[in-house]
Amino acid sequence: MTSVRELISADKHFYSVILTYLAASLALALYLGDLRWFVPTGYVGAWTLFAVTGITIHLGLRALRSDSPVGTFRSELLGFWHARGAGFALFLCLAMFQGAFTSIKVMMPEFVPFTFDPALADLDELIHAGPAWEHLQFMDGHTALVRFLYTPVWIMVYTCATLLMCLSRPSRLRTQYLWTFIGCWIVLGNLFALGFMSVGPIFYEPLLGDARFAGLTAHLQTVTSPDDPLSQIPQALWLAFTEKTPGLGSGISAFPSLHLAITTLIVLAAFQLRAWLGWVMAAYLCVIMAGSVHLGWHYAIDGYFSIAATFVLWRAVGVRLGLQVRANRPATSVQRPGAVAANCT
């Protein structure tokens, strides 16, 4: 039976990238002269609670079906640690990776200003023959539900998917998911975001002093209940940005959309598991795509680009894994008939 240490060692390349990313995040904070920008443990507590709760419920339900629930639970827990402990450790390290991402995200405007919103808004309106949000007013009666699906449900879905992938046995799907997951945050969330620094429609006027999206802002106020706590998230994010107080979920960046990138990744992985699950997640992807525009978080092109780019990353990782499999496959030597005859004499 493979030990936890051996399983952790098998994930060493993931740990190397995570450690390097954490070091880069720390280096940027040191360069700015303020370690308050560095928040690597911001997600660890929430992710640990989420994982421990889910695992405990799962093992507890299995134990309740036995004649000795307490003894069975202890046995199940011990077995889980030996079989899945390495995956649990990687999951917690990915929580620190998420903290490093938030750290870098909130520091990006200190290096590159937000300048691409007018160009992105112009392109978006050119593609859609006007503001994209105006085409989605059929969602007005469901704005609260869209907010719920877009924020807390999305957090639960992507955290659960990542946990399950970390805990699953080593496989091509697990490796492809995790490398694409890391690539989405770094390549799309950092590199492309730095190249196209933008805040999105909802923050267009506060940033540029231009009332271009005043109609969207006024429209959202008419379809939003004052009792909806999720409607206060934009104000909280803008306050954190202006006061430079990094925290859980803080940081503003519109292009590209990580909401759409990570949801696309989950769709691709889901289709590898079950067709029906893939279609369910594809429907959810459509909701997130429309919701990102309806709620003013993104220009539609932010999502289009993210979906396409995530698919490219997924395929690129898949090709790389295929090349590695072929490279590691033992070569078979083919002897000439004459040589075989000579060996038989």
Side-chain angles (χ1 to χ4, degrees):
M1 184 178 186
T2 307
S3 68
V4 174
R5 181 177 297 180
E6 289 172 325
L7 290 172
I8 289 177
S9 179
D11 288 332
K12 61 185 177 183
H13 297 300
F14 294 124
Y15 288 109
S16 296
V17 172
I18 293 170
L19 183 60
T20 302
Y21 192 65
L22 283 164
S25 176
L26 175 59
L28 290 175
L30 290 172
Y31 178 81
L32 293 176
D34 191 348
L35 284 177
R36 288 180 301 174
W37 292 111
F38 187 54
V39 288
T41 60
Y43 297 84
V44 173
W47 279 37
T48 301
L49 179 62
F50 177 84
V52 169
T53 301
I55 292 167
T56 301
I57 292 174
H58 173 67
L59 297 181
L61 290 175
R62 292 178 60 175
L64 287 175
R65 293 197 294 265
S66 70
D67 296 330
S68 177
V70 176
T72 302
F73 180 78
R74 289 176 180 172
S75 177
E76 291 279 358
L77 189 59
L78 184 61
F80 171 86
W81 172 251
H82 285 300
R84 314 291 187 204
F88 183 74
L90 180 60
F91 178 74
L92 295 186
C93 285
L94 283 176
M96 296 190 69
F97 172 84
Q98 291 284 271
F101 172 79
T102 293
S103 301
I104 293 176
K105 184 177 180 180
V106 298
M107 287 187 281
M108 290 195 305
E110 301 296 311
F111 296 94
V112 181
F114 293 111
T115 57
F116 272 85
D117 280 277
L120 292 171
D122 288 344
L123 179 59
D124 204 60
E125 291 188 11
L126 178 64
I127 292 174
H128 300 96
W133 67 269
E134 292 183 352
H135 301 297
L136 296 172
Q137 295 184 36
F138 65 88
M139 302 176 71
D140 288 353
H142 309 285
T143 301
L145 175 61
V146 172
R147 276 201 179 92
F148 181 69
L149 293 172
Y150 190 83
T151 304
V153 171
W154 180 80
I155 292 172
M156 291 284 289
V157 167
Y158 102 82
T159 307
C160 184
T162 304
L163 173 63
L164 292 176
M165 283 296 172
C166 286
L167 295 180
S168 64
R169 292 182 175 85
S171 66
R172 175 168 175 155
L173 175 60
R174 178 183 187 267
T175 303
Q176 190 171 8
Y177 177 93
L178 292 174
W179 278 127
T180 309
F181 179 85
I182 291 172
C184 283
W185 295 103
I186 297 177
V187 177
L188 303 184
N190 291 151
L191 300 182
F192 274 96
L194 277 169
F196 299 89
M197 285 293 281
S198 54
V199 295
I202 203 169
F203 297 125
Y204 198 98
E205 185 171 357
L207 176 73
L208 302 176
D210 185 335
R212 181 173 189 166
F213 288 97
L216 171 61
T217 303
H219 182 73
L220 285 174
Q221 290 176 347
T222 62
V223 298
T224 298
S225 168
D227 299 327
D228 183 3
L230 297 178
S231 66
Q232 304 304 313
I233 293 178
Q235 291 86 335
L237 282 180
W238 187 255
L239 183 64
F241 167 70
T242 55
E243 295 188 353
K244 299 183 178 182
T245 54
L248 191 66
S250 60
I252 296 174
S253 179
F255 183 95
S257 167
L258 268 298
H259 261 74
L260 270 300
I262 298 302
T263 309
T264 301
L265 169 60
I266 297 172
V267 170
L268 293 170
F271 270 114
Q272 296 295 310
L273 296 173
R274 297 285 189 277
W276 68 265
L277 183 60
W279 287 115
V280 168
M281 291 310 307
Y284 182 63
L285 175 66
C286 293
V287 173
I288 296 299
M289 177 68 236
S292 70
V293 177
H294 176 67
L295 299 174
W297 288 111
H298 291 282
Y299 310 106
I301 56 175
D302 300 345
Y304 300 157
F305 178 85
S306 296
I307 293 171
T310 303
F311 181 78
V312 170
L313 281 173
W314 173 266
R315 291 299 299 270
V317 172
V319 169
R320 176 61 177 170
L321 292 176
L323 292 174
Q324 287 179 343
V325 169
R326 285 193 287 272
N328 294 331
R329 188 176 296 154
T332 56
S333 59
V334 179
Q335 292 181 306
R336 296 188 304 274
V340 174
N343 290 335
C344 293
T345 57

